[in-house]
Amino acid sequence: MRVVNLSFAAAGFLGAYHLGAAEALLRNGDRLLSSLKVCAGASAGALVASMMITAPDKLQHCKKFTYRFASNVRSQRFGALTPGYDFMLELREGIEEILPPNAHQLASDRLHVSITHAKTHKNSMVSSFSSRDDLIKVLLASCFVPVYAGLKPVEFQGQKWIDGGLTDSLPIVPLGHTITVSPFSGPQDISPEHKGISRNYLRLANMSVVLSVENLRRLNEALFPPPLTRLKKLEQDGHQDALNFLKREKWI
């Protein structure tokens, strides 16, 4: 059996797409998962990757949290930027609910999280976690968009870190074949089909996406969550695209 890895792109609230894809893989991808070595990700993609590795039984819980979180952000007058609203606190509480007590042990060497150094703006891939709290800090750092999520970067091992999606939004694991998942239309293995005629690509922190109106809309939705009906449609699309991939590549 060949060694494969999974990488989930930075996605913001389009993480709903990732959750749909993850559900298809968990339900129908036994052959793929039996060969899975590493799950990688940036930002919301890192959150889904951590669920895949440490708490696949919490998938439905992740969905409920994502929809609740999105609804709470939408209810704020200025979204996540509303004075007094603590975006990172709500995110941390959600992560705390999902990760099991031994999450850091399950994640070590099997979960790769993209983060960005706040001062040098250099990317770092973290795959070793000495404690559950360290794992949570790394996941929070990978999701911290400056100003949008707050003014104080996340501290980890004496350094300050921000969103990994700013420097490597779709990590590729060095060893083995990496299967890529993205909610943006592009050349990734699992992604929405581009139905237009444009074949111009835009490079976003190591991820290629089609330059299209649809992707610009998705980029906006990543930071400013759309209504529940749209999020559920994204989830359904992710599920179907992942299922199509499994069939196309003869994993099922």
Side-chain angles (χ1 to χ4, degrees), residues 1-7 25 29-40 53 109-110 172-180 189 245-246 249 251:
M1 297 291 286
R2 56 177 170 161
V3 173
V4 297
N5 310 294
L6 275 173
S7 182
L25 295 172
D30 288 348
R31 285 186 58 217
L32 186 155
L33 296 177
S34 66
S35 302
L36 183 66
K37 181 179 180 182
V38 168
C39 265
I53 292 296
D109 297 326
R110 295 205 64 213
I172 302 299
V173 182
L175 299 177
H177 172 65
T178 300
I179 296 167
T180 52
D189 296 297
F245 167 78
L246 290 172
E249 298 299 317
W251 284 105

Side-chain angles (χ1 to χ4, degrees), residues 145-177:
V145 179
V147 180
Y148 175 87
L151 299 176
K152 294 182 179 180
V154 178
E155 289 195 21
F156 170 65
Q157 294 184 341
Q159 302 288 322
K160 294 181 178 180
W161 304 89
I162 57 177
D163 194 339
L166 298 174
T167 49
D168 191 349
S169 59
L170 188 61
I172 302 299
V173 182
L175 299 177
H177 172 65

Side-chain angles (χ1 to χ4, degrees), residues 89-200:
L89 176 61
E90 185 163 1
L91 180 57
R92 181 176 187 120
E93 289 173 348
I95 295 173
E96 290 270 12
E97 290 175 5
I98 293 163
L99 294 184
N102 65 336
H104 58 293
Q105 297 169 330
L106 296 171
S108 286
D109 297 326
R110 295 205 64 213
L111 175 67
H112 291 199
V113 181
S114 172
I115 58 176
T116 302
H117 195 276
K119 288 187 177 180
T120 66
H121 291 175
K122 289 185 177 180
N123 182 267
S124 182
M125 205 65 61
V126 183
S127 59
S128 179
F129 313 94
S130 60
S131 67
R132 182 174 182 271
D133 190 57
D134 269 1
L135 171 57
I136 292 172
K137 286 179 181 177
V138 171
L139 291 173
L140 288 173
S142 192
C143 295
F144 183 84
V145 179
V147 180
Y148 175 87
L151 299 176
K152 294 182 179 180
V154 178
E155 289 195 21
F156 170 65
Q157 294 184 341
Q159 302 288 322
K160 294 181 178 180
W161 304 89
I162 57 177
D163 194 339
L166 298 174
T167 49
D168 191 349
S169 59
L170 188 61
I172 302 299
V173 182
L175 299 177
H177 172 65
T178 300
I179 296 167
T180 52
V181 188
S182 171
F184 300 96
S185 294
Q188 286 69 46
D189 296 297
I190 301 172
S191 66
E193 180 184 359
H194 174 60
K195 298 178 180 179
I197 60 173
S198 171
R199 284 297 177 265
N200 294 317

